[in-house]
Every structure is written in structure tokens, then in C-alpha cells.
Amino acid sequence: MSFRTIEWRDNTVIMIDQTRLPGEEIYNTYADYKDVAEAIRGMVIRGAPAIGVAAAMGIALGAREIIADTHESFFRQLENVCDVMARTRPTAVNLFWGIERMKRVAEANRDKKLDQIREILKNEAIRIEEEDQTICRNIGKWGATLIPAGATVLTHCNAGGLATAGYGTALGVIRAAHEAGKNIQVFADETRPWLQGARLTAWELMKEGIPTTLISDNMAGFFMQRGEITCCVVGADRIAANGDTANKIGTYSVAVLARENNIPFYVAAPVSTLDLSLSDGSRIPIEERPASEVTHIRGANIAPENIKVRNPSFDVTPARYISAIITENGIVSGDYCAGLRKIAGR
Ligand code: MRU
């Protein structure tokens, strides 16, 4: 990959600034955990697995910033750092998964010296980043088996290298199919309002030399009806125990259109995106983002002043529309309740 989404270097966290792509390829350096939290909230880094990594690295940074004489004081302040990270974005469960993993590691090493705990937390955050790259490659390997040669694959939002530590989930499947010489092409939904598809997916795939066509979201049905789409592959922010899947707003519409047109609709996500504590998708918290994301494009106002706006950032696709869920441990279809528990080893 010709870019790095997030990296720990010299006790700082470095991220490619996704708010500036595709125009500018700029890397920001963070030395303060509160700035990492702000970067997550402000979409400098976004995408479920990537914000899980960012939260973990933010906690490792925060642990270095804590001044404490006693373990009690250190752990109290660490809890506060974790709370700041948890308040950034509510929907992607990977964020909370990353926070919990860091907390568990800190707790398991409570008897060590504070500097040792800080070092252990740093190493854990780096490990989460490295593991995510391997996980995405495995998702790619499994997913590529579902993509026929010569396929046209429609994707929504950005579930690529930028949304993970590298390689991507939905785009991991696409990359793996491309690398296997399947001669595929991609239709990328632009993904209003934030334009992850136009700004990020199109940029990533073009860099990779994967043939890509950009369409606006309302064109997906047109191309499906004409028989121009072979299958859909999207990422996920949270998957409930029954397979209901929260992903970028508009994903549900794509899934319904795919069913209407007899087109397979696949979700690709790591096991860390499963939230088996929720029996179905109705209880997944849905983030609502600022109205300005709808009324403005790149600073230009496109709506009347004071118009009432809603801006839910995610929707939930019922499991019945999902042909299969692709994880690093294998592919689940049919009975999601049993299949997801098994694949998660729970
Ligand atoms: O608001 P975003 O850009 O963080 O939303 C991202 C998505 O919805 C992705 O599809 C999802 O996180 C999967 S990323 C591998």
C-alpha cells in the first residue's frame, strides 16, 4: 500500500488526514490523547477498525501523559483517558472493543511499575494495528472466493485501507479478487453526505490500478436493474448477534435494491465488529452528525439558511438482506445466530 493510515512513531501517533483527501496527502502528528480523540470525532481518521486502532493508540499516548505517584491515581486517570476515547463516536463497536482490550491489558499488569505498564500499553496498541492488517488480508482471502471472474462489484462508503490499519475489509475482498487476476471492476457509490466513496474509495482503488467507476448514490438501482452489477460488498460498523448490520447511511437502500434485483449482498468485517450482546440491530446506537455535513459541500452552502436537517450517519440492514458475512475466520450465511457465535469462538 502506498499510504499508511495510522502509525505509532517516536511516541507520537501519525495519521493520514482523511478530511484533506483526495486533494492533499498530509500526515498529522499527535502527542496528546485529547487531540487523538478530536481526530476521531472530526473524521481525520474514520472507519470502524481504524478508529479502534486510533483509540488504542490514544490510550497508549494518554498513559504516557499521566503524572501519578500511586497506582491508584494512575488507574483512575487511565479510566478518564478511556472515557474521553469512548465519547468520540457511538456506532462502530471496534472503538469500544479497542478500549476494552487496552483496559484488560492494563489491569492484567497492575502489579508492574508504572513505566512498564506504559510500555506494555504502547506495545499492545502497536499489536492491534499490526493484527488488523493480517485480519484484513484473511477477510480478503475468504471474500475473494465469492467474487466471480469478470465481476462488477458495487461498494458503498469506504471500507478500505483508510478505514482499517491497511488493505481494508470490503476493499480487502476487492483487492484480493484483483490480485487473484479475476479481472474485476468496481462501482463506488459516492456516499453522501461525507463522500467517503468519492473522496476515499475512488482514490484508494485508482492508486491500486483497480478499474473503478464513481456513481452517485441514487444511481445504484439504475445499474442493478440493467444487469451491470454482479454483487455488492460493504463493510460494517456493528453486527448484532442475529446478523443485522449497521454500516454507513445508504447501505440499507443498497441491500434492498440488491434483493429486488437478485444480486448477492455481502458484508465484510473482522470479528471485532460483532456485538453479540445485542440480540438484533434495533438497539445499535446510531450517530447523528452535524447538519452542516448535509447543507454544505466543501464549505459551499447548497441549501436555504435555517432549513431543518437530519443527518443519521449509519443505518441498519436487516440480516435477511445479507447473503453472507465474511470475517477473517471464515464466511457465515443462513443461521447467523449460530454461525456468528461459532466464528467468534463464543
Ligand atoms: O463515518 P465513517 O466514515 O467512519 O463510516 C465508515 C463506514 O461506515 C464503513 O463502511 C465501516 O466503518 C467499515 S470500515 C472497514
Side-chain angles (χ1 to χ4, degrees), residues 254-271:
V254 173
V256 173
L257 282 168
R259 171 59 52 87
E260 161 73 12
N261 290 283
N262 288 316
I263 294 167
F265 178 90
Y266 301 119
V267 169
V271 165

Side-chain angles (χ1 to χ4, degrees), residues 163-182:
T164 60
Y167 205 69
T169 55
L171 293 198
V173 172
I174 286 165
R175 278 195 167 90
H178 173 75
E179 284 161 15
K182 290 199 170 184

Side-chain angles (χ1 to χ4, degrees), residues 75-130:
F75 274 89
R76 206 176 37 246
Q77 294 184 65
L78 190 66
E79 193 63 37
N80 181 54
V81 171
C82 292
D83 287 349
V84 169
M85 290 300 159
R87 282 196 295 270
T88 51
R89 298 193 71 192
T91 303
V93 77
N94 310 62
L95 180 96
F96 306 97
W97 170 89
I99 294 170
E100 284 310 313
R101 180 159 156 179
M102 295 296 277
K103 278 188 187 176
R104 265 201 316 278
V105 165
E107 206 48 58
N109 291 283
R110 207 182 173 101
D111 57 335
K112 305 234 165 56
K113 292 198 176 103
L114 292 184
D115 271 344
Q116 287 176 310
I117 299 174
R118 291 184 176 101
E119 191 65 14
I120 287 167
L121 286 173
K122 177 191 89 177
N123 291 335
E124 189 69 12
I126 292 171
R127 194 169 306 123
I128 290 174
E129 195 264 348
E130 289 168 352

